[in-house]
């Protein structure tokens, strides 16, 4: 999104340079013929160089972002942008019901389950442990019984049942561990509830900001941009016809550039809202 935004701004600055170039040629010619002073010519050239330097700064930022992106995606080829690719993204259907899909919140919910499991283990260790057993025993071969030899063929001859109970001796320590485990469950629940409320607040904020930016985009597209084009064309014609001076002409260019940049900024903010919503909902 950053690369697309600065590339779109640079395209805008390049078009602005074309208007300024006309201003430079006119001011230079008027200076040579004595129709204007050095100030107008110097102003025109300074404005032109200012736009060039700004565009170079943006190109440097675009290059750095491309290098970072290539490294993240492990790409060898250069990243090529499609023409007119900087447009508003499709608005997402955002519902707080899907917040549980957020990976950080999902981890917090898992911590609650682990804390509950640990509490149940501690409670189980505090309970008495009952055991029961059943045994069968047989004899095989010759056995001496009271001085006489008897042969046993392995048929079960002895059987019985045993019962047992074990009671924890350190009741206070066990009770303390259970209380600590219950406290940990409450802590995890409170932390998760707080974090979920924070996520929900951020989601609502992003949704409202996106609505505002959508409204701005609609306004610029339907009203401001057509007006800016009219201002630019009329200002150029009036300047060439000598109806306005270079100060008025530069002011008109600044107005046009400001409107067009604000439109791009609204798209950039709208798309950033979209990215933030995707992260919050893990889409």
């Amino acid at each position: 999104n950053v690369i697309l935004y600065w590339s779109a701004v640079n395209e805008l600055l390049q078009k602005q340079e074309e208007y300024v170039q006309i201003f430079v040629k006119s001011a230079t010619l008027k200076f040579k013929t004595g129709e204007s002073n050095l100030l107008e010519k110097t102003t025109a050239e300074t404005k032109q160089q200012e736009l060039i330097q700004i565009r170079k700064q943006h190109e440097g930022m675009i290059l750095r972002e491309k290098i970072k992106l290539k490294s993240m995606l492990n790409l060898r080829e250069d990243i090529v942008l499609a023409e007119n690719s900087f447009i508003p993204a499709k608005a997402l259907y955002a519902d707080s019901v899907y917040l549980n899909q957020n990976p950080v919140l999902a981890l917090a919910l898992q911590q609650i389950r682990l804390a509950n499991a640990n509490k149940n283990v501690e409670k189980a260790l505090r309970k008495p442990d009952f055991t029961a057993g059943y045994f069968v025993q047989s004899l095989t071969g010759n056995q001496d019984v009271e001085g006489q030899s008897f042969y046993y063929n392995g048929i079960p001859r002895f059987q019985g049942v045993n019962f047992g109970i074990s009671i924890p001796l350190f009741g206070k320590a066990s009770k303390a561990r259970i209380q600590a485990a219950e406290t940990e469950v409450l802590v995890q629940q409170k932390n998760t509830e707080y974090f979920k409320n924070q996520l929900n607040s951020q989601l609502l904020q992003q949704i409202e900001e996106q609505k505002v930016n959508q409204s701005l985009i609609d306004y610029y597209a339907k009203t401001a941009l057509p007006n800016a084009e009219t201002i630019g064309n009329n200002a150029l014609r009036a300047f060439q016809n000598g109806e306005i001076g270079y100060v008025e002409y530069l002011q008109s260019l600044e107005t046009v550039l400001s409107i067009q940049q604000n439109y791009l900024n609204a798209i950039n903010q709208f798309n950033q809202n979209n990215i933030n919503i995707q992260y919050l909902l893990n889409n």
Side-chain angles (χ1 to χ4, degrees), residues 1 87-89 91 204-222 261-277:
N1 190 51
I87 58 176
L204 293 176
Q205 179 181 345
Q206 291 300 320
I207 292 173
E208 289 305 313
E209 286 183 6
Q210 191 174 56
K211 290 178 181 178
V212 172
N213 288 317
Q214 179 66 69
S215 178
L216 285 173
I217 291 171
D218 294 340
Y219 160 71
Y220 282 113
K222 295 177 181 178
Q261 283 187 321
N262 286 340
Y263 171 66
L264 294 180
N265 185 59
I267 294 177
N268 184 49
Q269 293 300 321
F270 179 88
N271 290 347
Q272 190 60 53
N273 293 142
N274 219 44
I275 293 172
N276 293 339
I277 291 172

Side-chain angles (χ1 to χ4, degrees), residues 83-270:
E83 293 185 7
N84 302 321
S85 55
F86 188 68
I87 58 176
K90 183 178 179 181
L92 293 174
Y93 174 72
D95 194 326
S96 58
V97 173
Y98 300 103
L99 277 178
N100 286 350
Q101 298 176 6
N102 181 279
V104 181
L105 182 58
L107 179 61
L109 292 171
Q110 179 65 19
Q111 292 300 318
I112 293 177
R113 289 191 287 269
L114 290 175
N116 270 312
N118 183 59
K119 180 189 69 174
N120 292 335
V121 169
E122 292 296 341
K123 284 186 175 181
L125 292 175
R126 182 174 170 79
K127 295 178 180 178
D129 186 19
F130 296 94
T131 60
Y134 170 76
F135 70 89
V136 176
Q137 186 175 356
S138 63
L139 298 174
T140 302
N142 294 319
Q143 301 291 330
D144 183 67
V145 180
E146 296 181 353
Q148 296 184 14
S149 178
F150 293 90
Y151 175 77
Y152 294 93
N153 58 5
I155 296 176
R157 296 179 180 275
F158 308 98
Q159 55 186 331
V161 178
N162 58 52
F163 296 95
I165 180 172
S166 59
I167 301 174
L169 297 178
F170 305 100
K172 291 184 178 180
S174 178
K175 186 177 181 181
R177 287 196 300 269
I178 293 174
Q179 290 176 342
E182 290 175 341
T183 301
E184 178 64 17
V185 171
L186 293 175
V187 169
Q188 293 297 337
Q189 288 175 339
K190 289 293 182 182
N191 288 341
T192 302
E193 182 181 358
Y194 173 78
F195 183 66
K196 187 172 184 177
N197 288 336
Q198 291 293 103
L199 287 180
N200 189 58
S201 176
Q202 293 175 29
L203 178 62
L204 293 176
Q205 179 181 345
Q206 291 300 320
I207 292 173
E208 289 305 313
E209 286 183 6
Q210 191 174 56
K211 290 178 181 178
V212 172
N213 288 317
Q214 179 66 69
S215 178
L216 285 173
I217 291 171
D218 294 340
Y219 160 71
Y220 282 113
K222 295 177 181 178
T223 305
L225 289 179
N227 289 345
E229 185 175 358
T230 301
I231 292 171
N233 293 334
N234 290 341
L236 176 60
R237 189 181 305 109
F239 177 73
Q240 290 175 328
N241 294 335
E243 298 173 4
I244 61 174
Y246 73 93
V247 174
E248 292 87 350
Y249 181 60
L250 283 181
Q251 288 176 341
S252 298
L253 292 184
E254 291 289 347
T255 299
V256 172
L257 181 61
S258 176
I259 292 173
Q260 293 172 334
Q261 283 187 321
N262 286 340
Y263 171 66
L264 294 180
N265 185 59
I267 294 177
N268 184 49
Q269 293 300 321
F270 179 88

Side-chain angles (χ1 to χ4, degrees), residues 8-72:
V9 171
N10 265 8
E11 289 181 11
L12 188 61
L13 292 176
Q14 199 163 11
K15 293 178 181 178
Q16 191 77 354
E17 283 180 41
E18 295 175 3
Y19 283 103
V20 175
Q21 182 63 33
I22 297 174
F23 176 34
V24 171
K25 290 181 179 180
S26 176
T28 302
L29 180 61
K30 289 168 67 176
F31 176 73
K32 288 181 179 180
T33 57
E35 297 181 29
S36 67
N37 54 32
L38 184 61
L39 177 60
E40 183 174 344
K41 176 176 177 295
T42 304
T43 301
E45 292 174 344
T46 302
K47 185 61 180 178
Q48 183 184 37
Q49 288 302 314
E50 179 185 6
L51 290 173
I52 291 174
Q53 293 306 315
I54 293 174
R55 194 154 55 86
K56 286 183 177 179
Q57 290 177 0
H58 292 171
E59 288 172 354
M61 289 188 287
I62 291 170
L63 180 59
R64 289 194 296 271
E65 290 297 324
K66 284 185 175 181
I67 292 173
K68 287 166 57 177
L69 189 58
K70 284 176 63 177
S71 176
M72 289 173 58

